[in-house]
Amino acid sequence: MTNGDVADALAAMGPRLRTAREQRGSTLTGVSRATGISPSTLSRIETGRRRPTLEVVLQLAEEYGVSLDELAGTASATGPRTSALRRFGDDKAVLPLTRYVGGLHAHKHVLPAVEEPPARPRQVSHDGWEWLCVLYGRLWLALGDQDLVLSAGDVAEFDTRHPHGVANAGPGGPVEYLIMFGPQGERLRPRTPPAASRAEQQARG
């Protein structure tokens, strides 16, 4: 790694730490309670106004469940995926589909089956833009005051500054869905071949 590479990695560390925290749905106050690092210090690190020490990076990597390579942006996208599956307190399983933190990245989420109708999902908000696609089951998506129940094949996209949360719409089986998350202002750009002209269609026919 050259001096320039090191400088670039350090400059990107703050936004990656913020992204990792937001993926967990954690607040600065919650992380502060868990790690003993003050919210103001965490905020300055995330905004690039302060460089984190190795001790702080190790603490936060453990708290967020990410590797140092991911935070540094040096993880190989084709590297081994051992222990990639992460589980959270609500039994949700998350499988990262990209090997880095920051920029556009994707995860597969699995919510376990529920026997009783769930409570309304807890909502969070943060910078970014999210695309969600249900693969299996029924997903309850709460967007502010709006409630949507998505089934397999349904897709939603929204500004994550808007309060949002999800839950298994059950009762029934588990729910599997894909999430793509990008920075604020990032949007998917559909690329499709141009439609053939009427003359070309007639020539082919």
Side-chain angles (χ1 to χ4, degrees), residues 82-154:
T82 56
S83 303
L85 185 67
R86 301 169 188 162
R87 294 192 177 275
F88 297 88
D90 55 3
D91 291 331
K92 177 175 71 174
V94 178
L95 178 66
L97 301 179
T98 46
R99 297 291 295 169
Y100 54 86
V101 176
L104 187 64
H105 51 276
H107 296 79
K108 179 179 178 181
H109 294 236
V110 181
L111 295 177
V114 294
E115 297 181 0
E116 302 292 335
R120 194 167 194 266
R122 180 179 68 87
Q123 294 182 309
V124 297
S125 60
H126 50 82
D127 288 342
W129 193 272
E130 189 168 296
W131 303 267
L132 183 155
C133 176
V134 178
L135 303 176
Y136 177 85
R138 298 169 67 246
L139 183 73
W140 181 356
L141 172 61
L143 283 173
D145 296 331
Q146 186 178 13
D147 291 283
L148 303 171
V149 176
L150 308 178
S151 301
D154 289 341

Side-chain angles (χ1 to χ4, degrees), residues 191-196:
R191 301 287 186 179
T192 55

